[in-house]
Amino acid sequence: MSKYYLAVDIGASSGRHILAHLEDGRMQLEEIHRFPNGMVRRQGHLAWDLIQLFEEIKRGMIKCKEMGKIPESVGIDSWGVDYALIDRDGRRLGEAYGYRDQRTGGADELVYKKISEDQLYARTGIQKQIFNTIYQLAADQTMRPQILEQADAMLMIPDYFHFLLSGVKAQEYTNATTGQLVDPKSRNWDWDLIDRLGYPRRIFQPMTKPGTCIGELLPELQEEIGFNCKIVLPASHDTASAVMAVPSQDSNLLYISSGTWSLMGTELEEANCSPESRAANFTNEGGYNDRFRYLKNIMGLWMIQSVRKEIAPDMSFAEICRLAEKEKIKSLVDANDPRFLTPASMAREVQTACEEKGQEVPQGIGQLASVIYNSLAVCYGRTIQELEAVNGVSYERIHVVGGGANADYLNQLTARATGREVLAGPTEATAIGNILAQMIAADQVEDLQAGRKLIRDSFEIRSYQP
C-alpha cells in the first residue's frame, strides 16, 4: 500500500496541495487543491489574509480524506522574511504585513544607527533587501511598539501555519536565515545583534532543522479534517525546497529557481561573507543539511506576470513567449533595478526605463515581454561571471527549476547569453523538495543525493544548448 506525503506550497499569488508517493522507483505527484493568494490592503498597508489561507490549507487536507489518500505527514513552505506575531495564548497580534508593503521605508537607517551595513553583512552574509525581517522589526518598533511588547513569539509564515496545525512553536532554519538575523557560523540566532537592535529575545523561537517532526495534528483538527498525520518541517523557505529538487550530482551546482523571483546561485558548505561577496550583492541563505544557498535575488517573472495582468490578462504565458520570440527589439533594462519591485504600472516602468536610456520604447505585450526576457537572460549571464569570480570555480551547466522552467524562449536566451547548457525541470520543484524532506525523514529516501537522483529519474528534464 502506498505511503502518501503532502506538500502545501504557498506562493505569493497562489497555493497548491501536492500529494506524492513512490511507485516503481519513481516519485508520483498529484495536485489535490489549488487556491489563490495575494496581499490585501488593510488600513493603508499590504498584508496577508492568514485566516483565509489556513482555511484553504484545511480544505485541501479534507480533499485528501475524501479521496481516501491519507498522508503520512504534511509540510508547508512559502516565501521568506514575513512573519506573524502571537501572544502568550497563541492569538495573532495585528496584521502579518507583506514584503511589498512600504512601511519599511527608512527602517534601514534605524538599523544602521546601531550597526553599519558592512558589519551587518560580515556577520549575517545576507544581502540587503529593505523588506528583510530585520527592517520589518525596526518598523514595528516605531509603528506598533505596543504589539511588539505584547508579543510572545514571532513565527515566519510557514511556522505560523505549522503552529496552527500542531500547537507547537518551532522556527524552521532555512526560512529564519532570510531575515538577516542569523549567525551563519553557529547557524543560530545572532543574539548579540538582536540585543543591539533592541528586539525582545523572547519572540525568537529555538532553531529547528528541516526534516524535523514537530508533532501531530491537534485533536480538534483531527476531528475537523477527518484524519491524523505527522507535521514534518520541510525546508520551509520555498527556494530552499526548490534547491533540494535540483536534479544534479555536480559538485559545483548552478541553479536558477525561476518563478515570481529568479534566485540564481550555487551551494556552499560555509558561508561567504567577504567584502567581495557583498560588493557583488550575493546572499548566504540557509539550506538543507546545513548547506548555504549562495545566490542572488533577481526580479524574475514578476515583471512578466505584472505586464500580462495589465495588458493581456487572457493570454497564456506560452502565447506571450511565442510573441516575444518573434520580436526584433534590442532594448534592455536592469532586471535588478528596485524600480521594478512595486511600480504602479510595470509596462510603463519598463517603457520609461528604455526611454531614459535612449532605447527603442517597447509597445504591446510581445515587445514588452521580449525586453523583459532578454534583460533577464543578460542578468543571468552577468551573475554567472560574478559567481565564478567570487568563488573561484567554473560552472558547466545551469539547472532551471520551478514554473519558469516552462518558458522555452527564456531558456533559449539563457543558454545563448551564458554560453552554458541549460537543463530545465522539474517545474514543481518547490513541492517536490518539500516532499523529499518528508520522505527522507520517513526513511523512504536515503539522503539528499539519493533524492536528487530519484527526481532526475522521475521527471522530464529538457536540454537547451548555447
Side-chain angles (χ1 to χ4, degrees), residues 67-328:
M67 296 172 65
K69 297 179 178 180
I70 308 301
E72 300 284 313
S73 62
V74 61
I76 300 170
D77 66 76
S78 80
W79 60 93
V81 306
D82 293 343
Y83 54 86
L85 294 171
I86 63 174
D87 67 14
R88 196 170 298 174
D89 297 320
R91 294 173 299 201
R92 181 160 57 87
L93 299 166
E95 299 289 355
Y97 291 117
Y99 58 86
R100 294 191 193 277
D101 184 61
Q102 299 297 314
R103 73 192 182 102
T104 52
D108 51 346
E109 296 305 319
L110 299 175
V111 169
Y112 300 151
K113 288 178 180 178
K114 299 172 182 177
I115 183 171
S116 73
E117 191 173 352
D118 288 353
Q119 290 174 325
L120 187 58
Y121 186 88
R123 67 189 298 159
T124 66
I126 298 298
Q127 71 178 141
K128 178 183 177 180
Q129 300 274 17
I130 193 60
F131 48 68
N132 285 351
T133 311
I134 190 173
Y135 305 116
Q136 293 202 43
L137 286 170
D140 282 343
Q141 285 179 317
T142 58
M143 287 180 53
R144 51 178 190 174
Q146 71 286 354
I147 285 182
L148 200 56
E149 187 176 329
Q150 295 170 34
D152 183 66
M154 177 191 76
L155 296 175
M156 311 301 277
I157 299 301
D159 296 314
Y160 177 64
F161 290 133
H162 288 135
F163 166 69
L164 293 182
L165 290 175
S166 68
V168 177
K169 301 172 188 173
Q171 174 59 66
E172 191 277 320
Y173 165 70
T174 68
N175 213 312
T177 63
T178 66
Q180 212 169 359
L181 287 164
V182 173
D183 179 347
K185 293 181 181 177
S186 68
R187 293 170 172 80
N188 199 357
W189 297 112
D190 187 330
W191 294 113
D192 177 67
L193 174 61
I194 287 167
D195 291 343
R196 190 185 301 192
L197 295 171
Y199 301 155
R201 279 193 176 210
R202 69 179 179 278
I203 70 173
F204 297 93
Q205 304 307 296
M207 206 69 73
T208 308
K209 296 295 176 65
T212 301
C213 177
I214 61 170
E216 298 180 342
L217 289 176
L218 290 167
E220 57 267 32
L221 286 178
Q222 294 179 33
E223 184 175 348
E224 179 180 357
I225 292 171
F227 63 83
N228 188 22
C229 69
K230 295 177 181 178
I231 313 298
V232 174
L233 301 184
S236 70
H237 186 258
D238 48 14
T239 309
S241 275
V243 171
M244 285 185 69
V246 174
S248 171
Q249 305 295 314
D250 292 348
S251 56
N252 291 325
L253 176 68
L254 183 62
Y255 59 80
I256 302 173
S257 178
S258 182
T260 300
W261 290 90
S262 288
L263 296 310
M264 185 173 190
T266 187
E267 286 185 316
L268 298 179
E269 296 293 334
E270 300 294 335
N272 182 348
C273 303
S274 66
E276 294 79 11
S277 177
R278 177 180 175 272
N281 206 30
F282 283 100
T283 196
N284 297 266
E285 295 176 353
Y288 187 79
N289 271 0
D290 286 334
R291 298 171 185 229
F292 287 93
R293 293 174 285 129
Y294 187 70
L295 57 84
K296 177 172 287 191
N297 287 275
I298 300 167
M299 203 66 70
L301 297 180
W302 157 252
M303 298 175 72
I304 289 288
Q305 292 163 357
S306 299
V307 169
R308 173 181 176 267
K309 184 177 180 181
E310 285 177 41
I311 62 177
D314 297 325
M315 191 173 291
S316 71
F317 289 111
E319 290 175 299
I320 292 172
C321 266
R322 286 194 291 271
L323 286 177
E325 192 169 3
K326 296 176 182 177
E327 296 292 344
K328 304 300 182 184

Side-chain angles (χ1 to χ4, degrees), residues 25-27 247 450-461:
R26 294 174 180 267
M27 185 186 292
R452 284 176 165 164
K453 182 180 184 302
L454 170 67
I455 292 164
R456 187 183 64 198
D457 294 341
S458 300
F459 301 100
E460 178 189 9
I461 312 296

Side-chain angles (χ1 to χ4, degrees), residues 354-371:
C354 292
E355 192 173 22
E356 289 171 356
K357 290 185 176 181
Q359 302 180 110
E360 181 182 353
V361 177
Q363 303 296 329
I365 188 64
Q367 287 195 344
L368 282 162
S370 181
V371 169

